[in-house]
Amino acid sequence: MEHKLNPHQWVAAHADYLYGFAIMRINDEEQARDLVQDTFLAALQKVDGFAGKSSERTWLTAILKNKIIDVYRKKSSGLRTTDVKESEEEQADFFDSNDGHWIHNNGPREFGIEDKDQLVSREFEAILKKCMQKLPVLWMSVFTMKHIDEEPTETICAELKVTPANFWVIIHRAKVNLRACLQKNWI
Amino acid sequence: MSYLKRIIYNCKKATLLIEKKAMSKITVREYIELSIHLIGCRFCRIYKKQSAVINEMVRQLFNDAMKPGARLDENFKRELQGRIEEELNK
């Protein structure tokens, strides 16, 4: 089936969806609104290039994704020094710098999420959100692109300018920090 | 420190391998080292379970956020569609 574009219906059909997509990834309402607007305006310039192979929404979302990556890049290049450093210092509290063993008081404990079938409460969700927001932008973008958008590792490395070795370090640090934040705030 | 002791002690490396294994391939050697580590380390066994659950919960959070529903206010939307129409008429 060949898909068609209908810009007269764009806002009604896709604006809320695109906004939801953006807000989860950049967590700034004003910026998310701007991105939705920029996406539509950029899309208008590209209408002639639309081949009809993907749906209108998929096509618009791809344009938005690129814009979000631009934001990630800008945010993390300015912040790489400060927020990453802070979280890395926190990381030093997790593992012994000599042998890499968990530092006893900060090691993982069971806190009631180990059972997969368990219903996650609203309260827990709120804590999860807060903990995600505390991660450095670069870590969160790598994490989101990998786990949610399921982008190939090479793409993420190229887009965000990180080396493959650093990619795994970031994925690891993001998870260790996120897990520790959940344990600390939930127990 | 002996080779075996290094494997047994190094939770930092073990947790990195847990993350890597969940998303990609690890070498046979890494697989064996991780298995040995997990036998002796209760902390990392808990970590492994929680790590998988956290992935699932984060995914769920994003999915819920994408459920249909109005999020933008109507004024903003009206103005935005107006801008688009303006561009179309250029």
Side-chain angles (χ1 to χ4, degrees):
Chain A
M1 190 179 82
E2 192 152 309
H3 296 277
K4 289 211 169 63
L5 298 176
N6 181 6
H8 298 294
Q9 287 300 317
W10 275 357
V11 172
H14 308 298
D16 282 318
Y17 176 88
L18 294 174
Y19 177 76
F21 190 94
I23 194 73
M24 281 306 287
R25 285 162 178 78
I26 56 168
N27 190 39
D28 177 327
E29 289 180 18
E30 200 183 324
Q31 199 166 24
R33 270 200 300 270
D34 286 348
L35 283 177
V36 173
Q37 172 162 313
D38 292 351
T39 298
F40 287 134
L41 296 180
L44 285 175
Q45 306 297 319
K46 297 181 188 200
V47 167
D48 293 337
F50 181 74
K53 282 184 193 135
S54 56
S55 75
E56 188 175 61
R57 176 170 284 184
T58 305
W59 184 71
L60 289 166
T61 307
I63 296 173
L64 173 62
K65 265 190 193 174
N66 281 323
K67 300 213 166 284
I68 291 173
I69 288 171
D70 285 341
V71 173
Y72 284 161
R73 247 191 242 139
K74 260 182 224 147
K75 279 195 176 177
S76 62
S77 66
L79 292 169
R80 209 169 282 210
T81 41
T82 50
D83 70 338
V84 170
K85 209 182 236 169
E86 255 173 52
S87 302
E88 269 171 4
E89 273 163 20
E90 217 170 285
Q91 181 93 356
D93 298 337
F94 298 137
F95 301 106
D96 185 296
S97 56
N98 287 319
D99 58 15
H101 204 275
W102 289 102
I103 289 174
H104 208 80
N105 289 336
N106 296 335
R109 273 175 288 160
E110 294 189 347
F111 55 95
I113 62 160
E114 296 72 22
D115 202 351
K116 263 193 183 158
D117 308 321
Q118 201 169 21
L119 203 68
V120 174
S121 68
R122 288 259 160 251
E123 262 172 290
F124 190 84
E125 246 183 54
I127 292 173
L128 176 59
K129 260 192 182 163
K130 229 179 69 195
C131 287
M132 280 163 47
Q133 285 161 15
K134 271 176 62 184
L135 294 177
V137 177
L138 178 67
W139 295 8
M140 198 54 215
S141 14
V142 170
F143 192 87
T144 313
M145 285 173 84
K146 187 68 197 172
H147 287 289
I148 309 297
D149 301 331
E150 294 176 346
E151 302 277 2
T153 304
E154 307 82 66
T155 311
I156 302 172
C157 290
E159 302 273 19
L160 299 177
K161 297 198 177 70
V162 296
T163 62
N166 220 340
F167 171 85
W168 290 110
V169 171
I170 290 172
I171 287 280
H172 176 235
R173 287 185 178 160
K175 183 64 77 58
V176 169
N177 277 52
L178 186 56
R179 198 214 64 79
C181 178
L182 290 172
Q183 175 167 303
K184 190 171 144 199
N185 289 288
W186 186 242
I187 289 181
Chain B
M1 212 187 290
S2 76
Y3 172 65
L4 193 62
K5 217 167 176 186
R6 269 204 308 275
I7 296 173
I8 292 168
Y9 272 73
N10 201 338
C11 300
K12 191 173 179 180
K13 186 170 180 200
T15 48
L16 184 116
L17 289 179
I18 289 169
E19 296 303 330
K20 208 169 171 183
K21 182 168 169 268
M23 285 186 278
S24 159
K25 284 187 203 124
I26 59 175
T27 65
V28 175
R29 188 199 181 104
E30 287 172 330
Y31 181 83
I32 294 167
E33 288 185 2
L34 178 59
S35 307
I36 293 171
H37 182 93
L38 286 174
I39 292 170
C41 184
R42 185 178 134 77
F43 277 150
C44 287
R45 286 202 301 273
I46 295 176
Y47 177 94
K48 190 180 170 207
K49 257 196 254 173
Q50 291 176 340
S51 172
V53 175
I54 291 169
N55 283 352
E56 200 43 55
M57 291 192 305
V58 173
R59 222 168 281 145
Q60 193 61 49
L61 200 65
F62 274 81
N63 282 342
D64 288 350
M66 293 321 291
K67 278 183 189 151
R71 300 181 185 90
L72 288 162
D73 72 85
E74 291 305 316
N75 276 336
F76 176 81
K77 287 194 208 172
R78 211 173 303 120
E79 274 168 34
L80 186 51
Q81 189 61 49
R83 284 265 331 248
I84 293 172
E85 298 300 332
E86 231 173 76
E87 291 291 323
L88 286 170
N89 290 329
K90 262 186 190 168

